[in-house]
Amino acid sequence: MSDIEKIEKEALKAISGVGDLAALDEVRVAELGKKGRVSGLMKTLGKMSNEERQEMGPKLNALKQRVADAVEARKAVLEDEALEARLATEKVDLSLPARPEPKGALHPVMQVFEEIAAIFGDMGFSVAEGPDIEDDWHNFTALNFPEGHPARETHDTFFFSPQGEEAAKVLRTHTSPVQIRTMMAGEPPIRIIAPGRVYRNDWDATHTPMFHQVEGLVIESGIHMGHLKGCLIDFVKAFFEVDAVEARLRPHFFPFTEPSAEMDVKYTRDGDTIKIGDGEQWMEILGCGMVHPNVLKNCGIDPEVYQGFAFGMGVDRLAMLKYGMPDLRPYFEADPAWTRHYGFKPWLTPSVSGGLS
Ligand code: PHE
């Protein structure tokens, strides 16, 4: 066998035998590189006679070409294989969830805020807000609490140190100051709810120094107690997801409403669970009334033209009743086990049509 045939045979065998691009390159250098075998044969052309060169030249060139072609062909195959392998490892499973399951859960109070906003939103209410640190005028005076009146003390108020001549600021004791802020900022008709934190110096199984209320305010002309009662009964039915609720308005006192009432609903207790709607016993669930004419006047609204109703409810307690939490204190202990047990999936936004809970 001539050198040409031997080298070609060996080179092609080596080329087809390599498994990766690095090994292929070694073979290429060994055959076609400057010091390679094929290049070595090419160099012998210089020492040949003319006749020999005419015969051997084309043969050696053809050898060089075939080896180079074989290297290129093998390279293309190996590159394809490498790409396939990479694609296989980088495969994206489109059936996987778009993001990992979040570990956190929505606190029941936040869930109930959302539910309440969905129900009143459906009735045409919008959401208003006010500051947690409130001045004496918005928290008390404008709401018709007379200076030095004992009603101010029933709120167990947290006072800040007084600054100069002004009355000490307070941590708001209720969401009712948002009524004042809303009436001062806009004209009737007004239909708002105001969810938020409130603060009172109190601490036991059903009272925490910080808790949550939702205020409601409607100011239009021709509004009366019938609207108040209808609106609140519709709310209670929607919130507790029951078809009928027996409710009563029991006379009460708030400085900022006249007449004032507390709303009670009938309920049945079955072991640890409480069913709202019917039964033998009454449970108080909120305070309400017709906005006092003095409050309207304090906000520049003519009580001869506009009337309205207001209500305020404790959200923590509504959440306890609806979702069966027996004690209020763990609400604010930030225990992940409690939140996992009582919490809600954050992306299931409640809606009246799509379901509340
Ligand atoms: N602000 C009252 C409270 O905290 C509740 C209330 C609001 C009563 C609106 C009547 C009208 O107890």
Side-chain angles (χ1 to χ4, degrees), residues 99 106 110-119 241 322-323 344-357:
R99 51 183 176 214
L106 198 63
M110 295 301 128
Q111 166 75 15
V112 167
F113 268 160
E114 297 278 338
E115 294 179 17
I116 294 173
I119 296 167
E241 300 174 69
K322 181 163 178 180
Y323 294 114
F344 290 81
K345 292 200 164 72
W347 59 86
L348 297 179
T349 308
S351 77
V352 172
S353 51
L356 282 181
S357 58

Side-chain angles (χ1 to χ4, degrees), residues 75-94:
K75 192 174 166 208
V77 169
L78 289 175
E79 276 172 352
D80 275 358
E81 281 175 13
L83 184 62
E84 287 297 323
R86 223 178 98 198
L87 287 178
T89 60
E90 289 177 3
K91 198 159 73 178
V92 177
D93 182 352
L94 294 177

Side-chain angles (χ1 to χ4, degrees), residues 111-321:
Q111 166 75 15
V112 167
F113 268 160
E114 297 278 338
E115 294 179 17
I116 294 173
I119 296 167
F120 283 106
D122 214 45
M123 298 186 203
F125 286 69
S126 50
V127 173
E129 282 180 316
D132 287 19
I133 297 174
E134 194 48 284
D135 56 53
D136 182 83
W137 190 78
H138 285 91
N139 197 79
F140 292 124
T141 310
L143 286 162
N144 201 36
F145 286 78
E147 300 285 347
H149 191 278
R152 288 180 184 234
E153 272 135 53
T154 62
H155 275 203
D156 297 312
T157 312
F158 288 112
F159 289 96
F160 284 81
S161 308
Q163 301 279 321
E165 293 298 291
E166 276 177 36
K169 294 229 172 172
V170 300
L171 283 175
R172 67 176 175 192
T173 57
H174 50 176
T175 42
S176 300
V178 185
Q179 289 188 33
I180 304 299
R181 291 184 175 276
T182 308
M183 287 189 275
M184 299 293 285
E187 301 281 310
I190 291 170
R191 227 183 256 203
I192 57 110
I193 56 165
R197 295 195 179 101
V198 300
Y199 307 83
R200 292 184 199 179
N201 192 358
D202 216 347
W203 178 246
D204 60 38
T206 52
H207 296 89
T208 49
M210 186 281 293
F211 59 105
H212 301 84
Q213 288 188 334
V214 170
E215 193 81 8
L217 177 71
V218 171
I219 307 285
E220 294 175 28
S221 53
I223 295 289
H224 55 70
M225 286 286 279
H227 296 123
L228 166 63
K229 191 170 181 182
C231 172
L232 289 177
I233 288 179
D234 279 351
F235 163 72
V236 174
K237 284 198 293 197
F239 179 72
F240 288 105
E241 300 174 69
V242 291
D243 293 332
V245 172
E246 207 181 325
R248 70 177 181 197
L249 292 180
R250 178 172 36 75
H252 195 73
F253 173 77
F254 298 107
F256 38 92
T257 45
E258 181 59 35
S260 302
E262 281 187 330
M263 187 161 126
D264 299 336
V265 290
K266 281 272 178 81
Y267 74 98
T268 331
R269 183 186 287 277
D270 181 8
D272 274 349
T273 57
I274 281 175
K275 199 180 146 287
I276 302 282
D278 55 17
E280 289 310 305
Q281 282 162 294
W282 290 107
M283 177 175 323
E284 180 252 308
I285 57 160
L286 55 84
C288 60
M290 301 304 293
V291 179
H292 197 294
N294 288 350
V295 174
L296 294 172
K297 279 189 230 154
N298 289 339
C299 299
I301 293 175
D302 184 352
E304 301 297 328
V305 181
Y306 292 108
Q307 301 74 40
F309 65 78
F311 55 86
M313 48 200 167
V315 175
D316 313 84
R317 207 159 139 259
L318 286 177
M320 278 170 106
L321 287 174

